[in-house]
Amino acid sequence: MTVDESKALKRGTRVYWQGAVADSGIITGTSWDAVTIAWGNGQVARVHHGDMREIQQKPKTPHTV
């Protein structure tokens, strides 16, 4: 996601690492320079808005042919 998208995140929003459903987390805090994410694996990370490129708000959906 972009810096502007990251800055607009609210507490309680679910996010996904590289769009993977298995790698999701919840935004637990926001500040002027970063967000705090509680990941499903028990880890908590503080990620700066400029470092949110690998994090998405929607999971990737599998392509069916």
Side-chain angles (χ1 to χ4, degrees):
M1 79 177 52
T2 67
V3 170
D4 289 335
E5 291 170 331
S6 177
K7 287 181 178 181
L9 290 171
K10 304 286 185 215
R11 288 181 65 189
T13 302
R14 181 165 298 278
V15 292
Y16 302 87
W17 177 258
Q18 296 181 338
V21 174
D23 291 329
S24 68
I26 301 288
I27 301 296
T28 59
T30 62
S31 69
W32 68 273
D33 67 336
V35 296
T36 303
I37 304 170
W39 292 103
N41 65 3
Q43 299 293 315
V44 176
R46 186 168 187 269
V47 184
H48 289 95
H49 295 302
D51 295 332
M52 297 282 284
R53 293 176 301 279
E54 300 290 333
I55 299 172
Q56 300 176 359
Q57 281 191 278
K58 295 182 181 178
K60 289 183 183 175
T61 55
H63 297 303
T64 55
V65 178

